[in-house]
């Protein structure tokens, strides 16, 4: 479920509702009918949204399919200035912020996020699109961290490594979370938050593992 805030205007609220209808129609349809079988024309007809509006809201079907999980990163990036005002280990700060964002997702987000994650895991096209989006989001986070560290030696490399660990930990948590056969009905955000915390908490120790 999308979390992009309406501007408060009538037009902003209408756009948010139309965008949300498309997400709510698309993800169950992708799961039931198959990603390739669901066309943009069909989605627009079912959601009562014009094709022109569809492409104002989304770059294409892949962008639509990834919306629930991408909205977590969009929200985190929107909050980055505030997040980076915190003190403490950077990985811990980012992990706490990710958990807080998940906790703020709207009602019903869990089911759509599970469907999105499953589709990404089974559709090479969607997965490839997700990797590109992830790179873009990661670069935005890295740039913000480097700016916050104000030219400290090695800031760019350190920021990239920490972000890579955070993204990998988040993805591992989501993959575990959505793997239960009935996850679309039973998965909770509390479970996902716990998995994110666990995956990031074990990262330092995992990096110390030595081969025999």
């Amino acid at each position: 479920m999308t979390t992009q805030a309406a501007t408060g205007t009538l037009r902003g609220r209408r756009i948010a509702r139309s965008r949300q209808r498309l997400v709510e129609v698309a993800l169950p349809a992708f799961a039931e009918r198959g990603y390739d079988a669901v066309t943009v024309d069909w989605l627009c007809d079912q959601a009562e949204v014009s094709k022109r509006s569809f492409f104002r809201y989304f770059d294409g079907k892949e962008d639509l399919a990834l919306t629930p999980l991408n909205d977590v990163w969009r929200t985190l990036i929107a909050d980055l200035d505030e997040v980076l005002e915190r003190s403490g280990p950077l990985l811990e700060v980012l992990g706490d912020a990710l958990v807080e964002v998940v906790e703020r997702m709207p009602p019903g987000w869990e089911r759509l996020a599970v469907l999105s994650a499953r589709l990404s895991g089974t559709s090479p096209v969607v997965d490839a699109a997700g990797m590109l989006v992830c790179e873009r989001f990661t670069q935005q986070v890295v740039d913000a961290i480097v700016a916050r560290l104000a030219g400290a030696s090695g800031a760019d490399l350190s920021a990239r490594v920490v972000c890579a660990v955070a993204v990998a930990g988040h993805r591992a948590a989501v993959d575990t979370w959505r793997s239960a056969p009935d996850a679309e009905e039973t998965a909770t955000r509390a479970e996902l938050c716990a998995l994110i915390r666990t995956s990031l908490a074990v990262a330092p120790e995992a990096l110390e593992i030595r081969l025999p």
Side-chain angles (χ1 to χ4, degrees), residues 6 58 63 73 76 87 143 178-179 181 201 203 212:
F58 305 102
D63 185 29
W73 292 99
L76 176 64
S87 61
D143 289 345
R178 57 91 170 168
S179 63

Side-chain angles (χ1 to χ4, degrees), residues 108-121:
W109 173 86
E110 294 90 340
R111 176 172 181 254
L112 297 174
V114 167
L115 293 175
S116 179
R118 285 183 171 175
L119 182 61
S120 183

Side-chain angles (χ1 to χ4, degrees), residues 11-199:
R11 180 175 181 275
R13 292 193 296 272
R14 184 172 65 247
I15 288 172
R17 286 195 298 268
S18 295
R19 186 174 181 271
Q20 183 58 37
R21 280 200 303 273
L22 283 164
V23 174
E24 292 176 348
V25 167
L27 282 162
F30 292 151
E32 293 165 11
R33 298 159 61 98
Y35 178 75
D36 292 333
V38 178
T39 66
V40 170
D41 287 334
W42 184 88
L43 289 171
C44 291
D45 181 65
Q46 295 297 307
E48 298 182 336
V49 174
S50 72
K51 195 170 182 179
R52 181 177 179 182
S53 293
F54 178 98
F55 285 107
R56 281 203 303 266
Y57 307 151
F58 305 102
D59 292 337
K61 282 201 309 177
E62 294 86 0
D63 185 29
L64 170 58
L66 294 163
T67 293
L69 296 174
N70 284 350
D71 278 348
V72 171
W73 292 99
R74 291 187 184 103
T75 303
L76 176 64
I77 289 167
D79 293 347
L80 264 182
D81 287 344
E82 179 181 343
V83 168
L84 296 179
E85 290 290 334
R86 306 176 187 181
S87 61
L90 181 54
L91 183 60
E92 183 178 313
V93 168
L94 291 178
D96 288 344
L98 271 172
V99 166
E100 291 163 11
V101 170
V102 170
E103 290 173 340
R104 287 160 48 196
M105 290 292 105
W109 173 86
E110 294 90 340
R111 176 172 181 254
L112 297 174
V114 167
L115 293 175
S116 179
R118 285 183 171 175
L119 182 61
S120 183
T122 57
S123 169
V125 172
V126 176
D127 188 50
M131 295 297 289
L132 290 175
V133 172
C134 184
E135 288 179 11
R136 186 174 74 245
F137 287 161
T138 299
Q139 187 61 56
Q140 290 177 273
V141 177
V142 168
D143 289 345
I145 292 169
V146 171
R148 176 64 179 166
L149 294 177
S153 177
D156 184 77
L157 181 58
S158 296
R160 289 181 184 282
V161 170
V162 172
C163 286
V165 173
V167 169
H170 175 265
R171 181 157 188 166
V174 170
D175 285 347
T176 300
W177 182 65
R178 57 91 170 168
S179 63
D182 58 349
E184 69 273 19
E185 302 298 334
T186 63
T188 69
R189 69 188 64 200
E191 292 169 341
L192 177 56
C193 289
L195 286 166
I196 292 171
R197 290 193 184 281
T198 298
S199 65

